[in-house]
Amino acid sequence: MPLRLRSIYRLRKAVQNSDAVRWMSSSSFQPNPAPKSQPGQIQNAANNELESDRVVVEIDEARDFIERCLRKLRVSQSHAAQMGDLLVTADHRGHFSHGLNRLDMYILDVKRNLTNLSGVPGIIKESASTALVDGNNLLGAVVGNFAMGVAMKKAKETGVGWVSARASNHFGIAGYYGLQAVREGLIGFAFCNTSPLAVPTRAKTLALGTNAMCVMAPAANGDYFALDMATTTVAIGKVELAMRTQQKVPPVWGVDKDGKETTDPEKIYVGGGLLPIGGLEGNGGYKGYALNVMVEIFCGILANAAFGPLVRPWTNPTSEANLGQCWGAIDPDCFGNGFRERLHGFLNILRHLEPADPSKPVLVPGDPERLHMDKCKRLGGIPYHINQIRHAEEVAQQLGVEPMRTQQ
Amino acid sequence: MPLRLRSIYRLRKAVQNSDAVRWMSSSSFQPNPAPKSQPGQIQNAANNELESDRVVVEIDEARDFIERCLRKLRVSQSHAAQMGDLLVTADHRGHFSHGLNRLDMYILDVKRNLTNLSGVPGIIKESASTALVDGNNLLGAVVGNFAMGVAMKKAKETGVGWVSARASNHFGIAGYYGLQAVREGLIGFAFCNTSPLAVPTRAKTLALGTNAMCVMAPAANGDYFALDMATTTVAIGKVELAMRTQQKVPPVWGVDKDGKETTDPEKIYVGGGLLPIGGLEGNGGYKGYALNVMVEIFCGILANAAFGPLVRPWTNPTSEANLGQCWGAIDPDCFGNGFRERLHGFLNILRHLEPADPSKPVLVPGDPERLHMDKCKRLGGIPYHINQIRHAEEVAQQLGVEPMRTQQ
């Protein structure tokens, strides 16, 4: 038997004999189950896992804080609430770069009259399975919730819904909209363009956003698949953090002003730019570049919004964003029976593969977020960095709203 | 002005002042125009660019050769013709791994009675915008052409079509189906699972295919965007080639039997496996892993076909493949007016960005294939490697069909 074939047979046998197949029908999908403990032990365990530079805020309180900040700036009640839920969902899932941390950006847009504070998005045109939405320059969550609602409604009617919006604003984590689909038993998609921060393969100047994409799918027993990512290797926030802490970064993160790979975050940040997933061409980064352009096609190009290098800069904006965004939904019940059970089984096969490093279990997309939400549950809230808490205090003072209450 | 902001302004100014904006309305999209020459010079230029180990075969002849091989094995006329067109399209676009090179694999399936040689795929169930197809174990091109046709028909009726098939076989380059959508003025999608060749992030065993995806979109003036790729950093064929030539490979290509990065192709091939786009976790390879799983969800999971590690091995198959595949189409006319012109402008902005290395112009996804097709045009056919030609002679002899005629 050829060597390669032998290794494949070995794998198949291992899979057939292993826990993996039994997991196919298991109801468990805890990638890393919390240790069993007596009630009295839970608080101690939670205290032990809270880093010393973190402060816990109850989820409702974090949501309310964002809402009262925006309300103070005359954002309508419903819109402020939608933004609060969007940003706190990001923090809850461990995507701290896209939660409370981004409140400043939205406040700046509101203060400069660059976004509308009330109103509703409109449908410019539609077919049985599609809609083109005018975001009417409303806040991102408002446009996103409206558009995702339209996509899901059409998916339930025809099997698929695909919606693109122009005149939108930053819509937070793309996963926020995918989750809505999962809750309805649908496969969900979300895409957004952003200000230019990435350098195309072979180029030396910024011409693409971090262009996020999300694909989520519901599985049995509350399980789900969650792809929710930028199409650059990392977000710009990670480069900023490395600069502040004077650390080198992996060479796949970005290039300097000459389009050369660098491990110096400052050279990426000043005059350089982020690289698409994969890094430079020789490492397969042209595939990340293709995905990044794909996202822009679904967003700015499909919706006739700003696109590519023509999107406004991401700092100190002076004009409306006119971002393009896209959402989709597919009803898996239109396909092979037992989709959710099959997906749950597949995810569990992956989770229970033997890890290369025993201390790092194999996860599936969505597990890191699930682990973070489990941690929040044990802590009784979201563990914000102390600097984030202090900054929220300053924001509260500037706006004259009640500060965010932290757990004592 | 902060440094970062200054660099963004510099970019925007550069874009506004540069050729890029003029290219927005240009009808040219030649990434690398052929030099102007007198008619008499063309043949000389073509001869000069033909590598010494290559032999040119006219496109029609290559297509006919594949067709007559399959016909000799009692594959029905229409199915043999569809496979011939599929494989020759791959070679014409420069994807030699997926063209004539794969004929052996299809012949083996046919000889072992693992695929059906005539018949039609069926629709198991459908909604206004979706269909679940039974491939009836027919050859991949037959299932793919049928399913893509259904997806496009539904896209014209409702705006979107999404089709998944079970009981299918290898369908060649995913781009073959995306191109069909582009010709109809539609955005096209295609996805397929494959035998397990890739190692999930953090794991050490094969559990995923190379799971290809294609997204194509039509642009003005005959231009188009073409993402057509495996969701592993490279195809297994590249590893085989590196083994044969005893060359090291980049560390992002694959892992050894312990799940550790390696530059030794043999360690990847024997007991190890390919890595998803990006490489290991620290390089962002978990994003490629997520994309790879996404493709499997659209294929094996959605269609209820074989999936993940349960797909048959890719060498020496003894059972039906039962591959899962997926196709989609979206009508851009349902969205913002001027989609094709806007996309053409965007692609030209990217093409005309200043390259980091002046000898390597910035390309867009689809340009490498376009350059290869231009080369074929100048050469008067497809430049096959001499070993491929010799192997085709052997196949012809074994089957007792007329050998493939080469250009003299």
Side-chain angles (χ1 to χ4, degrees), chain A residues 296-298 300-304, chain B residues 185-187 216-220 331-333 335-345:
Chain A
E296 185 61 281
I297 290 172
F298 294 151
I301 305 298
L302 202 55
N304 195 6
Chain B
L186 302 170
I187 297 171
M216 292 200 185
D331 185 353
D333 288 341
F335 297 89
N337 294 335
F339 174 84
R340 291 167 191 74
E341 291 70 25
R342 203 158 42 250
L343 177 54
H344 180 51

Side-chain angles (χ1 to χ4, degrees), chain A residues 319-401:
Chain A
S319 59
E320 293 182 3
N322 187 25
L323 296 186
Q325 291 156 352
C326 184
W327 302 261
I330 294 177
D331 184 354
D333 288 341
C334 294
F335 297 89
N337 293 337
F339 174 84
R340 290 167 191 75
E341 291 70 25
R342 201 157 43 248
L343 177 54
H344 180 51
F346 177 43
L347 297 177
N348 270 340
I349 285 177
L350 296 174
R351 286 178 179 122
H352 294 278
L353 291 170
E354 188 183 354
D357 173 350
S359 72
K360 290 183 175 172
V362 178
L363 303 176
V364 303
D367 280 348
E369 291 86 349
R370 211 170 270 121
L371 289 169
H372 192 266
M373 289 186 288
D374 289 345
K375 182 177 177 178
C376 291
K377 194 171 185 183
R378 293 191 296 276
L379 293 171
I382 297 166
Y384 284 108
H385 193 278
I386 183 71
N387 293 350
Q388 188 71 69
I389 298 287
R390 285 180 191 139
H391 184 68
E393 282 168 11
E394 290 169 19
V395 171
Q397 200 168 19
Q398 283 163 15
L399 293 177
V401 302

Side-chain angles (χ1 to χ4, degrees), chain B residues 151-174:
Chain B
M152 293 192 296
K153 180 170 177 288
K154 288 178 182 287
K156 286 177 183 175
E157 289 164 358
T158 69
V160 189
W162 201 268
V163 177
S164 194
R166 66 176 69 143
S168 189
N169 285 287
H170 293 273
F171 76 8
I173 51 168

Side-chain angles (χ1 to χ4, degrees), chain A residues 257-279:
Chain A
K257 65 179 172 45
D258 299 316
K260 307 291 180 206
E261 246 177 13
T262 178
T263 58
D264 181 345
E266 192 160 353
K267 288 186 176 168
I268 295 172
Y269 201 80
V270 183
L274 298 172
L275 278 170
I277 297 170

Side-chain angles (χ1 to χ4, degrees), chain B residues 17-234:
Chain B
N17 293 345
S18 78
D19 280 347
V21 169
R22 275 186 281 127
W23 280 105
M24 288 281 292
S25 55
S26 157
S27 65
S28 161
F29 62 92
Q30 288 299 330
N32 193 0
K36 285 182 185 167
S37 56
Q38 300 301 315
Q41 293 179 312
I42 291 176
Q43 193 55 47
N44 288 341
N47 286 343
N48 287 342
E49 73 174 326
L50 185 66
E51 297 88 340
S52 60
D53 57 0
R54 299 276 168 159
V55 177
V56 174
V57 177
E58 280 182 20
I59 291 175
D60 285 348
E61 170 58 12
R63 198 187 286 117
D64 286 352
F65 174 70
I66 293 166
E67 200 178 319
R68 57 185 181 259
C69 289
L70 294 174
R71 284 291 288 148
K72 185 74 183 203
L73 292 163
R74 294 182 300 115
V75 173
S76 68
Q77 175 64 48
S78 154
H79 294 195
Q82 290 177 68
M83 288 301 294
D85 194 55
L86 168 70
L87 301 188
V88 169
T89 299
D91 290 334
H92 187 205
R93 294 177 71 76
H95 294 293
F96 286 105
S97 58
H98 283 62
L100 186 58
N101 177 54
R102 283 271 174 93
L103 181 58
D104 279 344
M105 187 180 75
Y106 297 100
I107 287 178
L108 187 65
D109 271 349
V110 171
K111 281 187 172 173
R112 292 186 175 181
N113 288 318
L114 300 178
T115 58
N116 289 329
L117 310 186
S118 61
V120 286
I123 291 180
I124 299 167
K125 63 178 172 180
E126 64 182 319
S127 69
S129 294
T130 68
L132 174 63
V133 164
D134 186 338
N136 286 330
N137 195 29
L138 294 162
L139 285 161
V142 178
V143 181
N145 288 336
F146 176 86
M148 191 71 208
V150 174
M152 293 192 296
K153 180 170 177 288
K154 288 178 182 287
K156 286 177 183 175
E157 289 164 358
T158 69
V160 189
W162 201 268
V163 177
S164 194
R166 66 176 69 143
S168 189
N169 285 287
H170 293 273
F171 76 8
I173 51 168
Y176 186 69
Y177 311 98
L179 285 169
Q180 296 179 25
V182 164
R183 279 195 289 271
E184 296 287 324
L186 302 170
I187 297 171
F189 299 78
F191 308 90
C192 68
N193 68 10
T194 76
S195 303
L197 291 164
V199 176
T201 300
R202 294 189 173 189
K204 54 196 273 191
T205 43
L206 303 177
L208 297 166
T210 51
N211 294 4
M213 63 179 286
C214 158
V215 180
M216 292 200 185
N221 297 311
D223 198 3
Y224 60 95
F225 164 82
L227 178 166
D228 181 15
M229 65 188 198
T231 51
T232 46
T233 48
V234 292

Side-chain angles (χ1 to χ4, degrees), chain A residues 4 11-12 129 269 311, chain B residues 4 12 129 206 269 311 363:
Chain A
R4 165 129 217 100
L11 162 84
R12 287 167 67 83
S129 293
Y269 201 80
V311 179
Chain B
R4 166 128 214 99
R12 287 167 66 83
S129 294
L206 303 177
Y269 200 79
V311 179
L363 303 176

